[in-house]
Amino acid sequence: MSFFTFPNPPVSPEAEQLRGDVRAFLAEELKTMPPHRRAASWSGFDADFSRKMGQRGWIGMTWPKQYGGHERTSLERYVVLEEMLAAGAPVAAHWIADRQSGPLLLRFGTEEQRRSVLPRIAAGELFCCIGMSEPDSGSDLAAVRTRAEPVEGGFRVNGTKLWTTFGHRAHYMLLFCRTSGGPSDRHGGTSQLLVDLKTPGITIRPIVDLTGAKHFNEVVFEDVFVPSSALIGEMGNGWHQVTSELAYERSGPERFLSSFVLLAELVRVLREHPSEQATIAVGRLVSHFVVLRQLSRGVAWLLQNGRNPAQEAAVVKDLGALVEQEIPDIVRSLVEIEPGSERTAELARTLHYTVLAAPSFSLRGGTREILRGIIARGLGLR
Amino acid sequence: MADQESDETGALLNESAGRLFGSFDEKDIRAVEQGQWPDTAWAKVEEAGFPLALVSEAGGGFGIASAEAIALLRIAGYHAAPVPLAETMFANRLLSEAGFDVAEGPATVVVAESGAFALAKHGSDWRISGRAAGVPWARHAETIVLLVEHEGKSFVVRLKRGVASIAPAMSFANLPADDVAVDAEVAADDVRPAPASWTPQTLKAAFAALRVSEMAGALARVMEITVGYANERVQFGKPIGKQQAIQQQLAVLAGQAAACGGAADVASAAFDRLDVIAIAAAKVRAGEAASIAAPIAHQVHGAIGFTEEHRLHFFTRRLWGWRDECGSERYWSKVVGQAAIAAGAEGLWPFVVSVGAVQGA
Ligand SMILES: Cc1cc2nc3c(=O)[nH]c(=O)nc-3n(C[C@H](O)[C@H](O)[C@H](O)COP(=O)(O)OP(=O)(O)OC[C@H]3O[C@@H](n4cnc5c(N)ncnc54)[C@H](O)[C@@H]3O)c2cc1C
């Protein structure tokens, strides 16, 4: 009767208890951080903040204890994630490793990789970046050109990765590359390597984005020697692995909370005399969030049960990006932002940031069109 | 373990509901839309016991969770089942909560503005007066159930067939949605105090929760029919579903169907607690899903989907009707929005999380 499964996850009293601890922590940590900075949410990089989260056991929460994890449920982890994002906590440093690099290593990595890397990720001390996109390989990830030539004792890597978020502050890259064949081989001949970014031959150049921030980078590999121990999983199995990595990347709650801080600021300004139109608009958006949470918790529950929720995750991300992206214009339609007005000053700053950031919401982690293509495949159309 | 058992009961129940509702065909749906009472169909639904699904075991029900009972309506919506199941299930729930026996035969509930009906003491009996429009299936109901306020208290009133005068009218979906007017004496035994949780607002929300579930079923069906059609219809030498423009539209449709399904899960979990805000949010989202999805389905179907002969409209007309019934998006958005704005900037996220959360968990 239904193409996709969104289970109704059970109530988790442990998770709800945790929520209180997380809120108390955030209230203290974010005390002095103004909304327009919190609006950057998971683009905000703060290594100290990440270390504190690690100390509290909020990174690698679901991983086995032997790898520094905390063996908590995916619903408990979900609570920490959503509380962080809704508050606009600067989680970027550990975010990628916690969300996708760690789980990928747990699933496909060697024992040595798991033992050396995962505990440090969980401690909030080791940060990872995603090495997928390239100049000629964006949506078409299988067109990857970066090549890791097998040589004595390892690989020699040449090529360029692009848009690598916080590549300049990360310790490791999970590099998706070609170990045999050429771009016409598509999915075949690709592999993943765990690359220490201190390795000689790697040049990292920041790219300024249109908000003026430096978070993504160009990462150039010139005859970089990477030892065989860096191979993640199996040689030639890269496509299968990177697809699971993307499923981890796309299934999180951050896929609809990017503009939440702005919505909260809107409510602050509206509070005294909300018009009927504003009340209806806020009610509608809150209704969207209620249902997105329901679906997203369903995705977390699928992950908990070892299922691959790639389709469901694409649905949530597509729906979520639409809501994230319409919030700025809804704010504009409800509040007259006048230069110099004290009352709307912080709303204006938060709006300004969110307007500029919004185009990326339906690009990063797979564009809207690509996600809809994935959904269409799930519908049996392609 | 208990959970697993109830999962299995739920699955069995859903299976038999699917078989039963699937056995009604388009002839049955059309007959009802032309004003006939679906005699055989209803007899089968009664035989299956579904009208009692929302009633406790002690009251004669199966003893299943409300969410499972409401899931039956999703299946009914998926088949556009031409029977007053939501109405009768709901009427029986109210009757049994107020200490009445469950209704014999089909029943319905009047959702009206506070004050639309009035009660007055009349000796040891009562007099009831008032009117309401758009009461679903009223002309066929053996029992009409109302919630009426009197001197600051709510009462559940049971009207047997013939007490109210009924002027037939049709809903968007061509289902009976009649005007009900009453000015009559009713026996003391037909008026009972309502449990404190029932107010005009919770009544409307509870009925809305049932509609959301029906909408989720109908929208799942719209998606299935439309994807099926896109795979079959050939133009320019290939199925239209091979065109990326169509695929992208169908992906949007699928997203809305998923959201409507999520809304139904939120609403049915909130039913027992009469959590008005959670149901309101669900109804808002479901209505919007219908508004986005139905036009896509019609666009993909081309002219054939615009005909009476094609079954698509059984589902899209129901969606267009149900999104307005028991409170539109506009109505319930205002309810959610007032509470959200009152929660304030710092309270907004805790508010979102609290919606639909089980208290004390
Ligand atoms: C803020 C941000 C951070 C990022 N961080 C990282 C990172 O850390 N690591 C990393 O590897 N990448 C990162 N990316 C890159 C991101 O994954 C790519 O931008 C994305 O995959 C799209 O690739 P592209 O930009 O080359 O666009 P293209 O693939 O060239 O697409 C351009 C347009 O064409 C459309 N299009 C492409 N193919 C099709 C098709 N088959 N059918 C229909 N439409 C199509 C797209 O949907 C899009 O609208 C980041 C991007 C952003 C914006």
Side-chain angles (χ1 to χ4, degrees):
Chain A
M1 160 165 166
S2 163
F3 292 88
F4 306 125
T5 327
F6 286 93
N8 212 350
V11 181
S12 162
E14 297 80 18
E16 291 312 309
Q17 194 166 351
L18 183 58
R19 197 184 293 284
D21 300 343
V22 178
R23 284 187 185 164
F25 169 77
L26 287 172
E28 184 56 32
E29 290 297 319
L30 304 184
K31 230 176 16 207
T32 57
M33 195 173 166
H36 73 275
R37 283 199 40 232
R38 288 193 280 107
S41 184
W42 55 295
S43 300
F45 191 106
D46 180 343
D48 288 338
F49 182 85
S50 290
R51 226 177 334 269
K52 286 183 193 163
M53 284 206 39
Q55 280 159 7
R56 279 172 177 70
W58 294 340
I59 303 176
M61 287 178 71
T62 62
W63 308 349
K65 290 197 168 133
Q66 66 184 122
Y67 303 121
H70 304 281
E71 301 186 2
R72 304 190 76 157
T73 65
S74 64
L75 292 181
E76 289 173 291
R77 172 168 182 267
Y78 184 91
V79 164
V80 173
L81 296 190
E82 69 173 353
E83 289 297 327
M84 292 292 151
L85 292 165
V91 292
H94 67 273
W95 198 244
I96 288 167
D98 180 56
R99 177 181 73 194
Q100 64 195 83
S101 322
L104 186 85
L105 290 173
L106 256 183
R107 178 145 171 223
F108 296 105
T110 64
E111 188 57 22
E112 186 205 320
Q113 287 164 349
R114 290 185 206 157
R115 285 196 183 285
S116 67
V117 172
L118 295 180
R120 287 190 284 153
I121 292 179
E125 290 165 2
L126 186 152
F127 311 135
C128 294
C129 62
I130 308 166
M132 296 188 197
S133 304
E134 300 184 2
D136 293 323
S137 166
S139 300
D140 186 10
L141 191 52
V144 57
R145 285 175 197 276
T146 297
R147 175 169 290 278
E149 200 70 50
V151 294
E152 173 89 46
F155 304 87
R156 189 171 50 239
V157 182
N158 279 289
T160 301
K161 288 290 166 184
L162 204 57
W163 318 125
T164 316
T165 299
F166 290 113
H168 59 308
R169 320 238 350 221
H171 303 96
Y172 283 90
M173 173 187 280
L174 276 83
L175 175 72
F176 177 64
C177 58
R178 192 159 278 295
T179 41
S180 68
S184 60
D185 290 303
R186 305 289 298 167
H187 303 170
T190 57
S191 303
Q192 284 185 300
L193 300 176
L194 178 65
V195 179
D196 184 337
L197 290 169
K198 288 193 304 295
T199 314
I202 300 178
T203 314
I204 303 178
R205 291 189 207 100
I207 302 168
V208 182
D209 80 4
L210 61 70
T211 72
K214 284 184 195 163
H215 53 83
F216 52 26
N217 297 270
E218 180 189 57
V219 182
V220 180
F221 293 80
E222 286 165 302
D223 286 332
V224 176
F225 176 78
V226 175
S228 351
S229 59
L231 179 70
I232 302 169
E234 279 169 52
M235 184 94 143
N237 195 34
W239 184 257
H240 172 64
Q241 296 175 191
V242 86
T243 313
S244 340
E245 185 183 344
L246 280 170
Y248 295 126
E249 175 169 355
R250 288 173 184 160
S251 60
E254 73 276 20
R255 295 315 186 179
F256 60 88
L257 288 170
S258 307
S259 304
F260 195 82
V261 173
L262 176 60
L263 181 62
E265 285 315 295
L266 172 67
V267 164
R268 190 188 309 283
V269 168
L270 290 177
R271 184 108 186 245
E272 298 309 317
H273 308 285
S275 66
E276 184 182 53
Q277 184 200 4
T279 307
I280 290 171
V282 169
R284 172 180 167 266
L285 288 170
V286 166
S287 302
H288 272 268
F289 282 117
V290 167
V291 171
L292 282 165
R293 273 192 82 236
Q294 169 74 20
L295 297 179
S296 197
R297 291 176 71 248
V299 173
W301 188 241
L302 289 171
L303 285 171
Q304 168 81 15
N305 291 298
R307 306 267 298 279
N308 175 2
Q311 301 287 340
E312 286 79 6
V315 168
V316 177
K317 182 173 184 298
D318 186 37
L319 290 172
L322 289 171
V323 175
E324 293 177 331
Q325 287 178 330
E326 69 173 327
I327 290 176
D329 272 330
I330 290 173
V331 170
R332 291 181 58 253
S333 73
L334 297 175
V335 179
E336 196 67 53
I337 306 271
E338 284 165 18
S341 151
E342 193 61 39
R343 192 177 71 95
T344 57
E346 189 55 25
L347 177 66
R349 281 191 284 270
T350 309
L351 176 64
H352 182 102
Y353 175 83
T354 310
V355 166
L356 295 181
S360 71
F361 301 165
S362 54
L363 295 174
R364 61 189 186 191
T367 68
R368 169 168 298 139
E369 291 72 23
I370 294 304
L371 293 176
R372 290 183 179 171
I374 292 171
I375 299 167
R377 181 168 294 124
L379 296 176
L381 293 164
R382 18 187 325 240
Chain B
M1 204 45 228
D3 272 356
Q4 197 176 334
E5 246 170 60
S6 96
D7 277 356
E8 278 165 23
T9 326
L12 282 176
L13 203 61
N14 288 351
E15 233 177 78
S16 66
R19 264 198 310 277
L20 175 54
F21 299 138
S23 73
F24 306 149
D25 61 23
E26 289 174 21
K27 255 196 351 273
D28 299 316
I29 300 178
R30 285 202 169 82
V32 164
E33 295 197 3
Q34 274 141 28
Q36 284 176 39
W37 168 245
D39 225 349
T40 14
W42 181 254
K44 289 183 193 162
V45 171
E46 281 201 325
E47 197 185 330
F50 296 158
L52 301 182
L54 272 175
V55 172
S56 69
E57 213 161 357
F62 315 123
I64 54 172
S66 293
E68 279 172 287
I70 297 171
L72 294 173
L73 295 173
R74 204 147 157 172
I75 300 166
Y78 175 86
H79 291 287
V83 287
L85 180 58
E87 292 76 8
T88 309
M89 270 169 60
F90 190 33
N92 281 329
R93 170 70 169 239
L94 272 174
L95 288 172
S96 76
E97 281 199 24
F100 289 106
D101 286 339
V102 293
E104 301 262 345
T108 192
V109 177
V110 176
V111 173
E113 293 301 302
S114 172
F117 289 84
L119 276 173
K121 267 282 183 203
H122 189 83
S124 59
D125 292 336
W126 293 87
R127 183 154 199 99
I128 179 169
S129 60
R131 57 169 53 238
V135 179
W137 293 86
R139 76 188 77 160
H140 299 299
E142 293 298 330
T143 307
I144 296 177
V145 181
L146 302 95
L147 188 75
V148 186
E149 290 164 308
H150 175 70
E151 293 180 350
K153 289 202 196 75
S154 291
F155 292 85
V156 175
V157 180
R158 174 174 70 176
L159 301 182
K160 290 291 175 49
R161 182 191 272 286
V163 177
S165 56
I166 292 174
M170 288 303 219
S171 77
F172 234 102
N174 274 348
L175 294 170
D178 304 325
D179 293 347
V180 171
V182 62
D183 188 7
E185 276 167 40
V186 285
D189 191 41
D190 285 326
V191 179
R192 302 203 181 169
S197 53
W198 290 106
T199 64
Q201 180 83 334
T202 58
L203 188 80
K204 187 166 182 162
F207 211 163
L210 308 187
R211 286 287 185 253
V212 172
S213 197
E214 293 178 295
M215 289 173 79
L219 195 38
R221 187 62 175 281
V222 164
M223 177 162 121
E224 197 178 294
I225 294 173
T226 309
V227 169
Y229 185 74
N231 276 325
E232 278 164 21
R233 171 69 174 168
V234 173
Q235 286 291 280
F236 300 100
K238 57 183 179 185
I240 57 170
K242 294 287 168 215
Q243 305 284 359
Q244 197 188 44
I246 300 281
Q247 292 174 354
Q248 299 267 312
Q249 286 301 300
L250 291 175
V252 174
L253 171 50
Q256 297 305 320
C260 197
D265 287 337
V266 169
S268 44
F271 183 86
D272 279 341
R273 285 177 283 115
L274 293 175
D275 179 341
V276 170
I277 299 285
I279 295 169
K283 186 71 167 51
V284 168
R285 189 62 190 88
E288 187 170 327
S291 301
I292 297 170
I296 294 175
H298 280 286
Q299 188 65 21
V300 170
H301 273 84
I304 193 76
F306 195 59
T307 62
E308 198 287 327
E309 190 185 343
H310 196 281
R311 61 192 167 148
L312 179 62
H313 67 85
F314 292 137
F315 304 94
T316 53
R317 278 187 297 111
R318 275 167 181 69
L319 287 167
W320 287 322
W322 288 335
R323 70 182 172 174
D324 286 339
E325 287 180 29
C326 312
S328 66
E329 294 95 283
R330 180 187 159 82
Y331 176 88
W332 287 119
S333 287
K334 216 167 2 176
V335 171
V336 177
Q338 271 158 3
I341 293 171
E346 271 71 34
L348 184 66
W349 176 250
F351 175 77
V352 169
V353 171
S354 76
V355 175
V358 180
Q359 297 306 309

